């Protein structure tokens, strides 16, 4: 899954390359349309500071409460999105002290995994 985050005042949108829904929906609270809320929406509402969530075909928009910072919300929101949408990409958002997000990439090293498998201690 590839994604991009855009910000606009007190809202942020996570754009992904996979279809999220056929029809746009706004969820104003964790109790709004609770029977129709997808599980990932319920998990996003568990993040402190999330005021509302809107889903569109390829985008999830989160509105935050004024007293909360994106550096506290977005890493958890990205983790939720990655949990519910298949991903090969391990790109994680990095937020500096000023609250500006830059993207860094972390890759798993297969050589370390192979190295550990080759050097198992003998059990006698």
């Amino acid at each position: 899954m590839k994604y991009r985050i855009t910000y606009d005042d007190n809202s942020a949108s996570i754009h992904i390359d996979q279809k999220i829904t056929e029809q746009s929906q706004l969820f104003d609270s964790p109790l709004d349309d609770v029977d129709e809320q997808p599980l990932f929406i319920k998990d996003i509402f568990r993040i402190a500071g999330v005021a509302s969530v809107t889903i569109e075909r390829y985008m999830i928009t989160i509105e935050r409460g004024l007293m909360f910072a994106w550096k506290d919300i977005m890493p958890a929101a990205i983790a939720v999105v990655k949990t519910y949408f298949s991903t090969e990409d391990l790109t994680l958002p990095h937020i500096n002290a000023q609250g500006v997000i830059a993207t860094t990439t972390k890759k798993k090293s297969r050589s370390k995994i192979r190295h550990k498998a080759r050097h198992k201690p003998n059990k006698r």
Side-chain angles (χ1 to χ4, degrees):
M1 175 191 79
K2 294 179 184 176
Y3 69 89
R4 181 175 179 200
I5 303 168
T6 57
Y7 294 89
D8 184 30
D9 294 328
N10 291 316
S11 66
S13 296
I14 304 168
H15 305 264
I16 67 172
D17 62 353
Q18 295 179 31
K19 185 170 60 173
I20 299 167
T21 185
E22 289 294 335
Q23 186 174 355
S24 298
Q25 289 182 280
L26 168 64
F27 301 97
D28 284 321
S29 77
L31 302 177
D32 189 25
D33 294 328
V34 75
D35 293 334
E36 294 186 24
Q37 276 186 12
L39 289 175
F40 76 93
I41 297 294
K42 292 177 183 182
D43 284 348
I44 290 174
F45 271 121
R46 288 185 180 102
I47 302 168
V50 172
S52 68
V53 180
T54 302
I55 55 174
E56 296 181 31
R57 190 172 180 108
Y58 296 102
M59 181 174 64
I60 301 163
T61 301
I62 300 170
E63 186 174 337
R64 69 179 169 111
L66 292 175
M67 301 307 294
F68 296 88
W70 286 120
K71 66 184 178 95
D72 300 323
I73 296 170
M74 288 313 292
I78 292 298
V80 168
V81 171
K82 286 184 174 186
T83 298
Y84 286 93
F85 297 92
S86 64
T87 179
E88 296 296 326
D89 182 16
L90 297 176
T91 305
L92 301 172
H94 170 73
I95 304 169
N96 66 19
Q98 290 78 32
V100 177
I101 294 185
T103 304
T104 59
T105 302
K106 294 184 179 180
K107 294 183 179 179
K108 290 182 179 177
S109 172
R110 293 192 182 271
S111 62
K112 287 182 182 177
I113 295 168
R114 282 190 216 118
H115 178 74
K116 287 180 181 179
R118 281 185 277 174
H119 297 288
K120 289 183 181 177
N122 291 335
K123 294 182 181 178
R124 293 184 184 192

